[in-house]
Amino acid sequence: MLVLILWPLMAFGGTHASTAVPFGIACVVCALVVRPRLRGQLDAALLLLLSTVALQLTPLPAALVQLLSPHAGSVREALTLDPGATRTSLWPLTIDDRSTVWALVEAAGAVALFFAARGQLERGGVRRVVRGIIGIGFAASVLAIAHAATGSRDIYWLFETDVEGPHPFGPFVNRNHFAMW
């Protein structure tokens, strides 16, 4: 479980699909292995949240999409290079399919990690996990401080970042991502 917490942190803060999607899939697989019991309103709310994101990917009749999102048609026409492509009878609610799939996999991974962690920690090992998280946080902080001291614009002094603005902070493209962690 600690590896699943460590992976997005050290893989550039999970800001790229190439690191975030494997994390989400690994968390879902972990939850399937642990097989936690789902119960209560929180679990229902989390599953409802995931289903609303998945609903955005479901092709719906154009009239229903226009009712739910009145400007969806004009936005699609403005964003497409092929004006005839927006004249189909079924539309998803999302404007950017790839980003919505990425968000769904990442959110499903986070929810699955929560379920798996809760199921695993009900059987014990809370102190070990807390110590591991503290160690991960300490190591990331030391790495970030060392990185900031050198003033490098590359993540881990090796990987060039395509983001303008402040220098990366440790494994994070943006120092606000570090604050979130």
Side-chain angles (χ1 to χ4, degrees):
M1 187 173 343
L2 287 174
V3 173
L4 290 175
I5 294 170
L6 179 65
W7 170 252
L9 172 65
M10 300 313 284
F12 313 120
T15 57
H16 298 289
S18 62
T19 60
V21 171
F23 163 75
I25 293 169
C27 288
V28 170
V29 168
C30 178
L32 293 173
V33 169
V34 172
R35 292 184 17 208
R37 286 187 13 240
L38 301 181
R39 59 183 182 271
Q41 293 178 346
L42 176 62
D43 294 358
L46 290 171
L47 294 174
L48 181 64
L49 170 78
L50 292 177
S51 64
T52 57
V53 175
L55 178 66
Q56 294 178 37
L57 293 164
T58 306
L60 301 170
L64 182 58
V65 172
Q66 281 300 111
L67 178 68
L68 295 172
S69 181
H71 298 287
S74 59
V75 170
R76 281 183 200 289
E77 287 179 15
L79 293 176
T80 186
L81 297 176
D82 180 15
T86 61
R87 295 189 183 105
T88 62
S89 61
L90 296 175
W91 294 354
L93 283 171
T94 183
I95 300 297
D96 185 358
D97 294 347
R98 292 182 79 194
S99 293
T100 305
V101 168
W102 175 5
L104 178 61
V105 170
E106 202 167 349
V111 169
L113 182 60
F114 169 74
F115 289 155
R118 185 182 63 196
Q120 191 72 24
L121 294 176
E122 284 175 343
R123 296 181 211 127
V126 175
R127 287 183 186 200
R128 188 179 64 220
V129 170
V130 169
R131 285 185 192 119
I133 291 172
I134 290 170
I136 290 169
F138 180 73
S141 298
V142 169
L143 177 70
I145 291 168
H147 188 265
T150 62
S152 174
R153 291 210 53 87
D154 299 334
I155 298 176
Y156 298 129
W157 300 276
L158 299 171
F159 303 103
E160 196 172 315
T161 151
D162 55 351
V163 177
E164 290 290 324
H167 294 291
F169 195 66
F172 299 98
V173 176
N174 182 328
R175 65 186 63 232
N176 292 329
H177 297 164
F178 181 73
M180 178 196 68
W181 275 92

